[in-house]
């Protein structure tokens, strides 16, 4: 029972301690230290800004001239849609890092982004549906925007399943990264579907060119909620990745212990 | 390092191949991905023989006529895209956003007399969001008549005060 090796380091794939560029974060210890310092701030900002933006949008903003109070769903729906797309972009970047640089942390992060992105996409689809029934007159319509976002949702789900589908985790991670990169094709389709085709879904009110087609009293709470969602998304993903790193470390320790006990 | 370089080239080649393949597919599909036909597209080539399709455009100002017979709401209106317009008949409840000057999409088919018989009517939302006070101010000052079409350029109203004199 006198097992001491719990103090022994886990058997990691030897990461270079120095490294350059992103590979500095390949050192799990460094990642845990850094993310541990950032996480409370990110989570705090996320909760605070989301609460502020949603509270402001749900209770403070004047009703819309034609939608009435139904306009308030916007404050839940639009930031969720932004994070559905933004989250996928991060997933694609992380997958690229995994495929080209074989970054060990990227594989762990990719597996953790999937479920979070899927949840935000589901929120976007659900709130959109609730808004669509009274406003458009239908829960769902197969127009280019709604269909492409549904495909995004399935891409997320496919990634979640694929990454965990193999006995050898590396094979799952590789397959998941390839799926994530192929799915990037869908992002510009979602973004520009409302401009390229006749859709029932309205085009973006906030564009890089031109004034926002939204009164400023309605715009500020939306931007606040967007920032809050982004911080929240980041905080959840960082927390999940930390948990994954720790879990791996624990598995390593347990392995050492059983080996030693033998 | 050669492995890494090879993977970068592989990813780049795949991206170019996949990108151009999907771009070509989307261009080829662009005709079939049309969610609705506009009245002038309809005038050019109408779907034949009572086939169901979607018609979209602005509800023409002053053309909406609603009545209720035995508790069944009925509506008649014209859908226009500026160049052409067509009369639509619909039995049922119109969605909240439906009004003159607003975009609408109707699912149905052409009747032999050239009218469009809708089985479902959806309202399209223009991408402008403004408080009631601002819309009222625009109407009062004569800058915008909601039944005539979409609001004026956003820069002219998105900073207007929401309270009179505020």
């Amino acid at each position: 029972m006198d097992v001491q090796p719990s103090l022994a380091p886990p058997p990691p794939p030897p990461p270079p301690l120095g490294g350059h560029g992103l590979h500095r974060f390949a050192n799990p210890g460094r990642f845990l230290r850094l993310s541990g310092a950032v996480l409370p701030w990110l989570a705090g900002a996320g909760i605070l800004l989301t609460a502020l933006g949603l509270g402001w949008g749900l209770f403070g903003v004047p009703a819309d001239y034609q939608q009435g109070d139904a306009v308030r769903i916007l404050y839940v729906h639009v930031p969720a849609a932004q994070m559905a797309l933004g989250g996928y972009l991060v997933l694609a970047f992380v997958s690229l890092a995994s495929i080209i640089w074989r970054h060990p942390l990227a594989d762990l992060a990719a597996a953790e982004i999937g479920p979070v992105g899927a949840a935000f996409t589901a929120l976007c689809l659900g709130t959109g549906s609730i808004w669509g029934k009274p406003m458009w007159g239908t829960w769902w319509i197969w127009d280019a925007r709604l269909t492409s976002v549904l495909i995004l949702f399935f891409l997320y789900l496919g990634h979640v399943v694929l990454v965990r589908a193999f006995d050898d985790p590396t094979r799952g991670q590789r397959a998941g990264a390839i799926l994530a990169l192929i799915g990037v094709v869908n992002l510009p389709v979602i973004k520009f579907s409302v401009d390229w085709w006749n859709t029932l879904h309205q085009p973006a009110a906030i564009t890089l060119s031109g004034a926002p087609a939204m009164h400023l009293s309605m715009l500020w709470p939306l931007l606040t909620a967007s920032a809050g969602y982004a911080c929240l998304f980041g905080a959840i993903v960082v927390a999940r990745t930390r948990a994954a790193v720790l879990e791996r470390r624990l598995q390593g320790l347990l392995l050492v212990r059983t080996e030693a006990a033998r | 390092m050669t492995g890494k370089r090879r993977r970068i080239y592989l990813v780049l080649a795949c991206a170019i191949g996949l990108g151009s393949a999907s771009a070509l597919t989307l261009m080829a599909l662009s005709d079939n991905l049309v969610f609705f036909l506009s009245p002038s597209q309809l005038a050019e080539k109408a779907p034949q023989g009572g086939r169901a399709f979607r018609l979209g455009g602005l509800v023409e100002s002053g053309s909406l006529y609603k009545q209720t017979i035995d508790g069944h709401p009925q509506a008649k209106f014209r859908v226009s895209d500026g160049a052409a317009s067509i009369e639509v008949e619909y039995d049922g409840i119109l969605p909240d956003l439906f009004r003159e000057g607003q975009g609408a999409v109707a699912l149905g088919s052409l009747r032999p007399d050239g009218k469009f018989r809708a089985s479902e009517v959806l309202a399209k939302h223009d991408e402008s969001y403004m408080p009631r006070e601002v819309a009222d101010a625009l109407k009062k000052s004569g800058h915008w008549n909601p039944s005539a079409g979409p609001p004026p350029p956003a820069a002219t109203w998105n900073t207007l005060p929401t309270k009179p004199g505020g």
Side-chain angles (χ1 to χ4, degrees), chain A residues 101-168:
Chain A
W101 293 283
R102 301 271 191 257
H103 197 294
L105 210 56
D107 288 324
L108 289 182
E112 303 308 324
I113 292 172
V116 187
F120 276 77
T121 315
L123 183 65
C124 166
L125 288 169
T127 50
S129 194
I130 293 170
W131 182 87
K133 181 58 184 170
M135 292 297 120
W136 286 341
T138 182
W139 297 105
W140 182 261
I141 192 87
W142 292 100
D143 84 342
R145 169 57 74 81
L146 276 65
T147 309
S148 54
V149 173
L150 188 66
I151 292 173
L152 179 75
F153 183 56
F154 289 150
L155 278 171
Y156 271 126
L157 290 188
H159 186 266
V160 167
V161 174
L162 193 59
V163 163
R164 294 160 175 81
F166 293 87
D167 287 334
D168 174 13

Side-chain angles (χ1 to χ4, degrees), chain B residues 124-141:
Chain B
K124 206 164 143 44
H125 179 244
D126 55 17
E127 67 279 20
S128 55
Y129 303 81
M130 61 172 99
R132 286 206 181 95
E133 292 92 335
V134 174
D136 289 342
L138 281 178
K139 280 181 237 172
K140 212 178 280 173
S141 63

Side-chain angles (χ1 to χ4, degrees), chain A residues 20 62-69 71 74 78 96 98-102 131-138 140-144 181-185 189 196-206 211-219, chain B residues 1 3-4 7-8 11 18-19 22 26 29-31 33-38 41 54 95-99 102 104-105 120-135 139 144 146 151 154-155 157-162:
Chain A
H20 57 279
D64 184 66
Y65 77 105
Q66 52 181 353
Q67 300 175 39
D69 282 327
V71 74
L74 176 98
V78 171
L96 198 67
S98 152
I99 282 198
I100 293 183
W101 293 283
R102 301 271 191 257
W131 182 87
K133 181 58 184 170
M135 292 297 120
W136 286 341
T138 182
W140 182 261
I141 192 87
W142 292 100
D143 84 342
L181 284 178
I182 291 175
V184 170
V185 170
V189 173
W196 289 345
W197 301 297
N198 292 331
T199 53
L200 186 64
H201 195 287
Q202 57 272 20
I206 306 162
M214 177 181 273
H215 195 268
L216 288 188
S217 63
M218 302 166 132
L219 184 62
Chain B
M1 275 306 137
K4 189 176 89 183
R7 292 199 294 274
I8 291 180
V11 168
L18 192 69
S22 42
L26 287 177
L29 275 177
S30 62
D31 276 349
L33 272 175
V34 167
F35 178 63
F36 55 76
L37 296 170
S38 65
Q41 281 173 322
R54 292 200 188 90
D96 283 9
L97 279 185
F98 188 93
R99 58 172 173 80
Q102 178 72 275
V105 176
E120 187 182 16
V121 172
L122 305 173
K124 206 164 143 44
H125 179 244
D126 55 17
E127 67 279 20
S128 55
Y129 303 81
M130 61 172 99
R132 286 206 181 95
E133 292 92 335
V134 174
K139 280 181 237 172
W144 178 39
W157 54 260
N158 66 7
T159 55
L160 285 180
T162 51

Side-chain angles (χ1 to χ4, degrees), chain A residues 26-63:
Chain A
N27 178 341
R30 185 173 287 161
F31 168 76
L32 285 178
R33 242 186 351 267
L34 254 171
S35 61
V38 171
L39 185 57
W41 295 99
L42 205 56
I47 292 170
L48 210 70
L49 286 174
T50 305
L52 180 68
L54 290 189
W56 192 358
L58 296 185
F59 302 107
V61 158

Side-chain angles (χ1 to χ4, degrees), chain B residues 69-153:
Chain B
I69 297 173
D70 300 334
H72 296 290
Q74 295 183 345
K76 264 190 229 172
F77 52 89
R78 296 187 72 83
V79 167
S80 138
D81 61 354
S85 77
I86 183 168
E87 183 156 350
V88 178
E89 285 182 7
Y90 173 62
D91 298 347
I93 301 168
L94 294 167
D96 283 9
L97 279 185
F98 188 93
R99 58 172 173 80
E100 292 175 0
Q102 178 72 275
V105 176
L107 174 68
S109 55
L110 274 180
R111 287 197 319 208
D113 62 359
K115 286 182 187 171
F116 187 83
R117 178 81 209 165
S119 58
E120 187 182 16
V121 172
L122 305 173
K124 206 164 143 44
H125 179 244
D126 55 17
E127 67 279 20
S128 55
Y129 303 81
M130 61 172 99
R132 286 206 181 95
E133 292 92 335
V134 174
D136 289 342
L138 281 178
K139 280 181 237 172
K140 212 178 280 173
S141 63
H143 284 307
W144 178 39
N145 173 13
S147 69

